[in-house]
Amino acid sequence: MADAVLFEFLHTEMVAELWAPDPGPGSGGKKKSLSVLEGLGFRVGQALGERLPRETLAFREELDALKFLCKDLWAATFQKHMDGLRTNHQGTYVLQDNSFPLLVTMGSGSQYLEEAPKFLAFTCGLLCGALHTLGFQSLVTASVAALPACKFQVVIQKS
Amino acid sequence: MADAVLFEFLHTEMVAELWAPDPGPGSGGKKKSLSVLEGLGFRVGQALGERLPRETLAFREELDALKFLCKDLWAATFQKHMDGLRTNHQGTYVLQDNSFPLLVTMGSGSQYLEEAPKFLAFTCGLLCGALHTLGFQSLVTASVAALPACKFQVVIQKS
């Protein structure tokens, strides 16, 4: 089945396309590319959030929403579950993937670390968009200490 | 399962992103967007062509390669088979999909016809790229007479 690799190939090419040297001055360059990727991810996350099966449209508890991301959203997108979920019980969550599929094809040397952010921006948006559909405003950032593992930090914004 | 819709959502957002009004003069506008989408599709098609199971790496006969696209490539990408394949036996093939998934979400009125090309460019590239991996140079164009049906015309380039 090529379904899973289809998403990964398309993501790779999309990153390559949006990361291409931008000829125009004042275009914002890499920062703009990251926010474009994040925006794409957000809208796909919103749409996926509406389509994924879930028992109730509104999760009462934040933690349930986060578990939904770690299990259902991750399975739908990456055919696996997140490896770890930690929280400080004050609205901050750390989601750990020990072998993040969109980083697996990169080399694992530390010289590739600076290339990682462009492969994480879409997924940060994806998580944020899915949470938005579930009724939670959030800030999502990602960090990599050792490829291909990565952590997504989700901070729920209280209204 | 959201795998299939994941590709469709990502494709939709990618088209929207690449179709956004381009602020720079001399940027090429819509024509450039179409060729960017086609180029993305080409590279994904190349990669998919290498991954899809097939009995032999080199198809001796053009027709076998075209059947592979209609069956295996279409199944991997759209979870269905192409509805028809015709040829003039001189290197020109017409592949018909009576309900092309990337057009299904559009309205079916004729007023939407002019919007169709941007939803076909990626797939034209996909077919061309997969054929390239199979050892055939081609020109691929698409046409729509009545949404959501469409035809892809493949002209094999003799070397």
Side-chain angles (χ1 to χ4, degrees):
Chain A
M1 286 297 290
D3 301 2
V5 294
L6 181 65
F7 165 70
E8 290 176 25
F9 289 156
L10 184 52
H11 178 272
T12 301
E13 294 303 330
M14 196 177 64
V15 169
E17 184 59 45
L18 292 171
W19 210 258
D22 198 325
S27 60
K30 290 184 178 179
K31 278 193 182 173
K32 188 181 167 201
S33 297
L34 281 183
S35 72
V36 167
L37 284 167
E38 206 169 325
L40 275 168
F42 186 89
R43 293 188 296 279
V44 172
Q46 277 187 306
L48 271 185
E50 288 165 6
R51 287 287 294 270
L52 289 175
R54 53 181 189 271
E55 290 174 16
T56 165
L57 275 168
F59 288 102
R60 294 262 177 94
E61 302 288 341
E62 277 173 17
L63 188 58
D64 292 330
L66 268 294
K67 286 179 181 171
F68 173 79
L69 301 184
C70 291
K71 196 178 159 199
D72 301 83
L73 182 76
W74 228 241
T77 313
F78 302 115
Q79 293 78 48
K80 57 182 264 184
H81 290 173
M82 195 76 83
D83 294 303
L85 169 62
R86 289 184 300 137
T87 177
N88 66 353
H89 297 289
Q90 293 179 13
T92 298
Y93 299 83
V94 177
L95 292 62
Q96 165 114 19
D97 190 323
N98 295 331
S99 181
F100 184 54
L102 301 180
L103 292 175
V104 162
T105 51
M106 290 177 69
S108 58
S110 58
Q111 71 271 32
Y112 298 112
L113 271 182
E114 68 181 47
E115 296 291 316
K118 63 183 172 187
F119 294 108
L120 298 169
F122 175 86
T123 307
C124 286
L126 190 81
L127 289 165
C128 193
L131 278 169
H132 182 88
T133 295
L134 298 177
F136 297 96
Q137 307 306 311
S138 63
L139 281 179
V140 181
T141 53
S143 62
V144 176
L147 290 164
C150 72
K151 290 178 182 175
F152 296 92
Q153 178 173 286
V154 176
V155 180
I156 302 291
Q157 309 291 294
K158 306 295 181 188
S159 56
Chain B
M1 287 296 290
D3 300 2
V5 295
L6 180 64
F7 165 70
E8 288 175 26
F9 289 156
L10 184 52
H11 178 272
T12 301
E13 293 303 329
M14 197 177 63
V15 169
E17 183 59 43
L18 291 172
W19 210 259
D22 197 326
S27 60
K30 291 185 178 179
K31 278 194 180 171
K32 189 181 167 200
S33 297
L34 281 183
S35 71
V36 167
L37 284 168
E38 205 168 327
L40 275 168
F42 185 89
R43 294 188 295 280
V44 172
Q46 277 186 306
L48 271 186
E50 288 165 7
R51 288 287 295 270
L52 290 175
R54 54 183 188 271
E55 291 174 17
T56 166
L57 275 167
F59 288 102
R60 295 260 177 95
E61 303 287 341
E62 279 174 16
L63 188 57
D64 292 330
L66 269 294
K67 285 180 180 170
F68 173 79
L69 301 184
C70 292
K71 196 179 161 199
D72 300 84
L73 183 75
W74 228 241
T77 314
F78 302 115
Q79 292 78 48
K80 57 181 265 185
H81 290 172
M82 194 77 83
D83 293 303
L85 170 63
R86 288 184 301 136
T87 176
N88 66 354
H89 296 290
Q90 293 178 12
T92 298
Y93 299 83
V94 177
L95 291 63
Q96 166 113 20
D97 189 324
N98 294 332
S99 181
F100 184 55
L102 300 180
L103 292 175
V104 162
T105 50
M106 291 177 67
S108 58
S110 58
Q111 71 271 32
Y112 298 112
L113 270 182
E114 68 180 47
E115 296 290 317
K118 63 183 174 188
F119 294 107
L120 298 170
F122 176 87
T123 306
C124 287
L126 190 81
L127 289 165
C128 193
L131 278 170
H132 182 86
T133 295
L134 299 176
F136 297 96
Q137 307 306 312
S138 63
L139 282 178
V140 181
T141 53
S143 62
V144 176
L147 291 164
C150 71
K151 290 178 182 176
F152 297 92
Q153 176 172 287
V154 176
V155 180
I156 302 291
Q157 308 291 293
K158 306 297 181 186
S159 55

